[in-house]
Every structure is written in structure tokens, then in C-alpha cells.
């Protein structure tokens, strides 16, 4: 027999290709029975593989088992993987897209010492690879033996090694019973939603029908418990079998559905008006109430299918929180056509969303078949350092010698890559500058810092007195850190008191704590500037974390851009506010001790005093001591929509990251729209991208806030647009410094003022309007009012001034 000699390299390539084909058949479709080698099936038809039979890996953790082994509990929920330290599951991804992530939790009693014998005591969070907080301070404890299932839609790219991190609270642990991850059909994602922000499914209702678990594992619940008035609606259940008419094209913003949007069982039932002679249809409605997270944005998908009338007969209006959303009518000449409508409910202080259907005419009807509510996940948190497991579970290739060799090749390549990756990661992590040690001794919170030397400590009793024992009537803001109260100190100084939530009070979006508390104290103790919010004191007694600031009478800049109850600012006022904020940031970057990067510049962190003087606030995420270096390596933190894309990609933080965020704020000021709005068309969703596109096309005036139309001098707008364009450059090296931004804004402001002076002193009948509008006056460059050579900043030697001279008023409407 002739011997065939195959070059070693070719053999390796062949084996690796064979292995990759094997993985491709398993990748992007994971159903994992955590903590067990056995397969497990659910009655809903989903099959979960044991951990030894799946193509993924996890870090150091422990398998735990239910010691009770109750017969009525599915085998899937009798095991879990848990640990007292952070651990992760890692998945290989072969296709870009939005993935459905479903996490199963059931708190059973365990014999494992790592679980303290009872999983119901576990308190932990879940992060994804992009730092998004999917769950925070989560506990699976409930009064039933039913599992808690959390579902998310997460954007994943093939360049990612996607991970889910399970991070226990101190002295606690984390666990998970089962994980589902697969590429979601595009139908699952709300129409026009292309943001990279994850979505968390909060509610999914089969309105008028029975609970249903569809083939994709989506659980559709009944709606009865959400009705505000059970007598206002009745179920529509046609007696004869329905033939649904699935049509291909959308009509007037109403999108036609198919069986993947919602199962046929959802469209075969509905709730509609329960009219009577004592309740005319025109004066009635059907309303559903839903408890949601405060300060979170939500996307709502309403499903319709007219199964109760003739085509075109029923016309009604859809509302949310009293706001008109859409006129609904059958969208074709055919009966029983399924369709849906997506819309976004913006964040508010309310913890309720109500959905209402109301007929347009007397004796008419209205109906709803299904409803889905998804929360937009915007919270970011640092990814912890996790000790990698020595064992990586890889899908076995069974049945051939070549398969075994290919597996060995993959393991070798994976080991080499993993080793190099871990070394690189270690280099980055060890260079991360951490200004505030968050553990150790020294205070009632375990802080290693001694803050007493700052002389800013205020007794808890005085703060209680200043806020009337934290009277809820004095609450002027709420955020992830806690409530903010209006108060008055014993010396008559008006203050804003930010009190951190206790652990049991924190919601799913609350992740701030001791590090941010200490950072803000240290940073604000070093700086004094007219355009930076001043810290009056703090309190860390009785397990409290309280910060006391000057009180800002006019609230946040965002309030004056979006709140219809607040007087809208003129263009001159907006320019003055932007200029003031730029001065504050310029001082942070150059005049403060060692240089400070704010890292969370946004419209809610720019506050206004009684004279609309702008002050930059909220320094809990700030980094200092970095500006004498090229950059600082750090986990990405900030607010989505304002984050510097270069910082997000490289994790290299510089002061130019603040410049980018400030550029987004400038666009926000000009347009009075949020940084991210998923309800807008694709090219307009991201304000930075849309603003840059309009600027390059020369049509920036198209996004100007309507009350400003006709107010803005064209030269002022042109200079403002050029400034925005500089700030939003992708390459940080091409962005200006805050000093340059400050000068450009001062120039835009003087151009605006010069035009007004001309209008006041010249006879308009003798002016050529076109030439006056576009002629640039000779404007000299002013010295930077934010530099350390002027009186805006207050040095340590200047602190002999009285408190009333140093501190004006503060309100924090969107506290951390």
C-alpha cells in the first residue's frame, strides 16, 4: 500500500476546520442544565443539556444540589452552579445579532457550604460582557416553588467572547439553575429598535386568554390582575375556529404580524369593551396598570387582531399614561388580520405604566389581544476580576479519531490564546487606577479611607433636623444612589442632602455605593469653582452614606430642555449655560489637583442656580491624577449615548472622553431631544450620529428645538455646529481641549449678542437682512474664564470666605 505523507501544517488546518464545523453546529444555541452532567427536559418541550455536553466554558465555581429533592420540582431546578465569589459562563458566538438570554432561578436548600444551605439568601447581580447590569441586588426568594425566569435581549458581535458574570454581594453568593442563549428571530425585537442597549422583558400578556408557553419558550401570562376595573372589559373567545389572515406589508405604522411575533393563541383571544346602558361606550375605556422601575425607559408592543367585528367597523385610540399613541383600526378588508404597534414610554418618577384603549365614537368597541413591555437596560457597572477555571468544557467530538485529534488541536490553540489573553488582561487590570479602596477597615462602611481630616463631617442629628427627619415632602430628586432632600442647616444655609439607599431599599437599577461616595468626597474637597457644585459636608454615621451640597434652585439642565412645566430657555441662556459648564470642565481638566476626568458628563449632571448659572455636578465616577499620563486603563463607566466610542472600545480614558460627552450635551441643548431615542428612524436614533450627519450636510437648523426657531443668529449657529463637530470626532486626538471648546462657545455667544445689539441700534429698514445675517464681526478672543488665572476658582487660601459667599443654591433632580 502506498504511504501518503500529509504535511503537519495542512493536517492541523484540516483538523481545525473539522472542529470548527462541529462547533458551528452547536454554537449560538445553548440550553444549559447548570451544575449537572445530566440532560433535563421541561414539559414545555425545551431540552437542556448537562454541562459536560455543551460547547462553552465557565470559571471557578461549584455545582450545588437540592437536598430535599421534592418530586413535584422539575429536575432542571434541582441543581445549580454557584459561588461565593464572582464567576462567569463564556460562550462562543459565530453570528452577529441580537440574542435572547434567559436565566432560570429556583432557590432550593443545598448541602454545599458555598450556598449557606439555602439559595433563598443569595443576593447578587448579573453583568454581560459590555458592562451592562442585567440584574442588580437580585434575590430568587419567593413564596412558591415556581422558578424565577429573567429574559433579556442582548446585542452580541462575533468579535466578542460573550460572558455572563454572576457577582455576589459581600458575604453572600450567586447561583443560576439554567441558561438559555440563542440568536433571536428579528420578529422578537421591537420595530426600529437598533440600539446596542439590552432589553429586559418585564411583562408578556395573552390578553383575554389563558397562560401559554410558546415554542420559543416565551411565557404569556393572563392579564386579569392588571385590569384597573374588571367590569370594564370582557373576554372575546370566538366559538368557531378562526382562520387568521397573515398579510405581508405594514399599513400606517401598524405592522402586520405572523406566528413568530406572537403565537396564534394570543391572536385568537382578546379583551374588549363591556358596555351597558349605564355606561355609554364613548365615556368608558379599558385600562391595564403595570408596576415598572422608576427612571427607566420602556418599549411597549401592543398586539391586535379584530376577532369581534367586521373589517373596518371598529376604530379606537391607544393611550399610555394618558398620552395618545395611535388610532387603531383594522388595516385591511380581510377579517382577523394580526398586527402590532411598538412605542416607547420615556423615563419618569412614576413606578407605573398604564395602557388604555378607548372607542372613538358612541356604541363603538375597542380591543386588545396581547401586550409586551420591555425595559431598556442602561445601567453600567465594572466587570470584576474573575479567577479562570483550569477546566474548560468543550463539546466533544465523538465517533472518529480525527474528531479526537481536532479537539486536542482546539484545546492547544485555546490554551495558547487564553494564556496570552490572560497575560494581556492582567497587564491592563494591574494598571487600572483605583482612587478609592472599597474595602478594609476605618469606617462604619468598611472604608480604608480616613476622611475626618477634611473637616467636612456633619453630624447625623443635624442632617435629620435640616430635612425634618427626611420628610418625603422634601424629596426633590431620586436616583440610583438614593433620595435627594431639600434642607436648611442650623446656620441658615440651604442645602441638598443626598442620602444613599440602604441595601434592602435599592432597586434593580441601583448599583452605586461606597466607592462613588468616597470618590465624590475626595474630589469635591479638592476643588472650588464657580461652575462646579460645592460639597458642604458628608455623614457616615450609623451605616449612613450622606452627601450635603449647595442647593441649586433651578434644577438640572435636562429639566429645562424636556419638562413642559419648566420655562424653556432662550438661545442666549443656553449658550451661557454651555459656556459655564465648559469653564467648570476646563478647570477640572487643568486647574484641579492633578487633573480630573469627570467621566459622566450629561445634561442631568449640569445644574442651574437661581440665576441660571451652570454648575457641573456628580463626581462619583471621576478619575484624578491621570492627565499627566497619556491615558488611564479602566472599566468603562458612564451613560449610554454620551460615552466616547473610542473609550468604550479601548477602555483608555482621557480628558477627551469628557469632550465627546460634552459635544452630545451641546446637541441636546440645541435640539431638546435625548441622546438615544429608539422610537425615531434608524439614522436619527443616536443624537450624536444624527447631529453630525446634519452638520456635514449643512442642515443643522433642521434639528433646532422649535421654540428657538428664528432666535438663533446664523453665524452663532454655524460656530456652534463647528464646535459640536470638533467635539464628536471619532479619534480623540482630533478633538479640541475644553479650553478650545470654551473659547468657541464664547465666540458663538458674542456673535449672538452682536446681532441683538445691531437690531437694537440700527434702523432695520436700512439694513440688507441677508448681508447682516451672514457677515462675521471682528470678535477678539477672550481669555478663558475657567483658567486658574481668574477668580472663578476658589483656592484653598480663599476658603476664609463665609459659607454664604461660597455656596449658592443646589437642586439635584437626577441624583446618582
Amino acid at each position: 500500500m502506498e504511504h501518503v505523507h500529509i504535511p503537519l501544517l495542512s493536517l492541523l488546518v484540516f483538523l481545525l476546520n473539522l472542529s470548527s464545523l462541529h462547533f458551528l453546529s452547536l454554537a449560538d444555541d445553548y440550553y444549559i442544565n447548570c451544575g449537572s452532567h445530566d440532560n433535563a427536559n421541561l414539559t414545555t418541550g425545551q431540552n437542556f443539556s448537562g454541562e459536560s455536553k455543551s460547547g462553552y466554558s465557565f470559571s471557578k465555581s461549584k455545582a450545588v444540589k437540592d437536598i430535599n429533592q421534592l418530586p413535584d420540582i422539575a429536575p432542571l431546578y434541582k441543581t445549580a452552579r454557584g459561588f461565593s465569589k464572582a464567576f462567569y459562563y463564556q460562550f462562543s458566538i459565530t453570528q452577529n445579532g441580537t440574542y435572547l438570554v434567559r436565566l432560570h432561578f429556583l432557590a432550593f436548600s443545598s448541602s454545599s457550604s458555598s450556598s449557606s444551605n439555602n439559595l433563598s439568601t443569595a443576593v447578587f447581580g448579573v453583568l454581560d460582557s459590555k458592562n451592562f447590569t442585567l440584574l442588580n441586588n437580585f434575590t430568587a426568594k419567593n413564596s412558591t416553588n415556581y422558578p424565577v425566569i429573567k429574559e433579556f435581549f442582548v446585542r452580541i458581535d462575533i468579535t466578542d467572547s460573550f460572558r455572563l458574570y454572576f457577582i455576589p454581594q459581600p458575604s453572600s453568593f450567586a447561583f443560576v439553575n439554567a441558561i438559555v442563549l440563542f440568536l433571536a428571530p428579528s420578529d422578537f425585537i421591537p420595530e426600529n429598535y437598533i440600539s446596542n442597549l439590552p432589553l429586559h422583558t418585564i411583562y408578556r400578556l395573552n390578553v383575554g386568554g389563558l397562560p401559554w408557553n410558546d415554542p420559543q419558550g416565551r411565557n404569556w401570562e393572563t392579564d386579569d390582575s392588571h385590569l384597573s376595573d374588571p367590569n370594564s372589559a370582557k373576554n372575546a373567545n370566538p366559538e368557531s375556529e378562526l382562520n387568521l389572515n397573515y398579510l405581508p406589508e405594514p399599513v400606517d405604522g401598524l405592522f402586520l404580524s405572523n406566528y413568530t411575533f406572537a403565537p396564534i393563541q394570543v391572536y385568537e383571544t382578546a379583551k374588549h369593551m363591556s358596555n351597558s346602558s349605564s355606561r355609554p361606550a364613548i365615556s368608558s375605556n379599558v385600562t391595564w396598570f403595570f408596576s415598572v422601575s422608576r427612571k427607566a425607559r420602556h418599549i411597549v408592543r401592543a398586539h391586535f387582531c379584530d376577532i369581534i367585528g367586521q373589517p373596518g367597523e371598529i376604530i379606537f385610540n391607544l393611550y399610555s399614561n394618558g398620552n395618545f399613541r395611535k388610532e387603531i383600526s383594522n388595516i385591511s378588508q380581510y377579517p382577523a388580520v394580526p398586527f402590532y404597534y411598538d412605542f416607547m414610554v420615556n423615563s419618569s418618577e412614576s413606578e407605573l405604566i398604564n395602557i388604555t384603549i378607548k372607542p372613538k365614537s358612541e356604541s363603538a368597541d375597542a380591543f386588545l389581544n396581547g401586550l409586551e413591555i420591555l425595559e431598556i437596560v442602561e445601567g453600567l457597572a465594572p466587570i470584576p476580576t474573575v479567577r479562570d477555571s483550569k477546566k474548560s468544557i468543550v463539546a466533544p467530538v465523538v465517533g472518529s479519531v480525527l474528531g479526537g485529534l481536532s479537539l486536542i488541536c482546539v484545546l492547544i490553540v485555546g490554551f495558547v490564546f487564553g494564556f496570552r489573553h490572560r497575560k494581556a488582561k492582567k497587564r491592563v487590570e494591574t494598571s487600572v487606577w483605583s482612587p478609592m479602596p472599597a474595602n478594609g477597615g476605618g469606617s462604619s462602611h468598611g472604608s480604608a479611607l480616613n476622611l475626618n481630616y477634611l473637616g467636612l463631617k456633619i453630624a447625623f442629628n443635624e442632617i435629620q433636623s435640616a430635612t425634618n427627619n427626611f420628610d418625603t415632602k422634601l424629596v426633590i430628586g431620586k436616583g440610583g444612589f438614593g433620595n435627594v432632600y431639600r434642607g436648611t442647616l442650623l446656620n441658615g444655609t440651604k442645602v441638598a442632602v443626598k442620602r444613599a439607599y440602604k441595601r434592602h431599599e435599592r432597586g434593580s437599577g441601583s448599583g452605586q455605593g461606597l466607592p462613588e461616595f468616597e470618590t465624590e468626597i475626595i474630589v469635591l474637597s479638592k476643588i472650588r469653582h464657580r461652575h462646579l457644585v460645592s460639597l458642604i459636608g458628608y455623614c457616615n454615621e450609623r451605616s449612613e452614606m450622606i452627601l450635603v451640597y449647595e442647593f441649586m434652585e433651578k434644577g438640572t439642565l435636562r429639566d429645562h430642555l424636556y419638562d413642559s412645566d419648566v420655562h424653556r430657555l432662550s438661545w442666549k441662556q443656553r449658550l451661557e449655560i454651555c459656556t459655564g459648564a465648559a469653564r467648570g470642565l476646563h478647570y477640572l481638566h487643568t486647574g484641579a489637583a492633578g487633573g480630573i476626568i469627570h467621566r459622566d458628563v450629561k445634561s442631568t449632571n449640569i445644574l442651574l442656580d437661581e440665576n441660571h448659572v451652570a454648575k457641573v455636578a456628580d463626581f462619583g465616577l471621576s478619575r484624578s491624577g491621570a492627565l499627566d499620563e497619556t491615558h488611564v486603563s479602566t472599566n468603562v463607566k458612564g451613560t449610554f449615548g454620551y460615552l466616547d466610542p473610542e473609550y468604550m472600545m479601548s477602555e483608555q480614558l482621557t480628558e477627551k472622553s469628557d469632550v465627546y460627552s460634552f459635544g452630545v450635551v451641546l446637541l441636546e441643548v440645541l435640539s431638546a431631544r435625548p441622546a438615544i431615542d429608539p422610537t425615531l428612524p434608524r439614522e436619527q436614533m443616536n443624537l450624536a450620529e444624527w447631529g453630525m450627519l446634519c452638520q456635514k450636510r449643512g442642515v443643522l437648523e433642521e434639528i433646532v428645538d422649535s421654540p428657538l426657531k428664528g432666535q438663533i443668529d446664523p453665524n452663532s449657529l454655524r460656530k456652534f455646529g463647528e464646535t459640536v463637530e470638533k467635539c464628536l470626532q471619532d479619534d480623540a486626538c482630533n478633538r479640541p481641549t475644553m479650553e478650545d471648546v470654551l473659547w468657541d462657545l464664547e465666540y458663538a455667544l458674542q456673535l449672538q449678542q452682536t446681532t441683538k445689539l445691531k437690531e437694537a441700534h440700527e434702523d432695520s429698514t436700512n439694513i440688507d437682512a441677508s448681508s447682516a445675517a451672514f457677515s462675521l464681526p471682528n470678535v477678539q478672543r477672550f481669555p478663558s474664564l475657567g483658567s486658574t488665572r481668574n477668580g472663578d476658582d476658589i483656592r484653598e487660601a480663599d476658603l476664609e470666605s463665609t459659607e454664604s459667599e461660597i455656596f449658592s443654591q443646589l437642586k439635584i433632580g437626577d441624583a446618582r
Side-chain angles (χ1 to χ4, degrees), residues 511-521 619-621 637 816:
Q512 292 77 23
L514 180 62
E516 290 82 359
F517 175 73
E518 294 178 334
T519 297
E520 188 131 6
I521 294 171
F619 298 88
L621 298 182
K637 280 192 176 184
R816 182 168 302 284

Side-chain angles (χ1 to χ4, degrees), residues 154 216 530 622:
V154 180
Q216 289 79 25
R530 185 184 180 217
S622 299

Side-chain angles (χ1 to χ4, degrees), residues 283-297:
S283 63
S284 63
N285 61 70
V286 184
T287 297
W288 293 262
F289 282 92
F290 302 93
S291 176
V292 296
S293 299
R294 176 175 40 84
K295 290 288 187 182
R297 294 183 296 163

Side-chain angles (χ1 to χ4, degrees), residues 459-471 499 542:
F460 181 74
N461 291 339
E462 183 174 357
I463 295 175
Q464 270 188 310
S465 175
T467 59
N468 193 21
N469 196 23
F470 302 102
D471 189 342
R499 184 191 193 192
R542 308 184 190 180

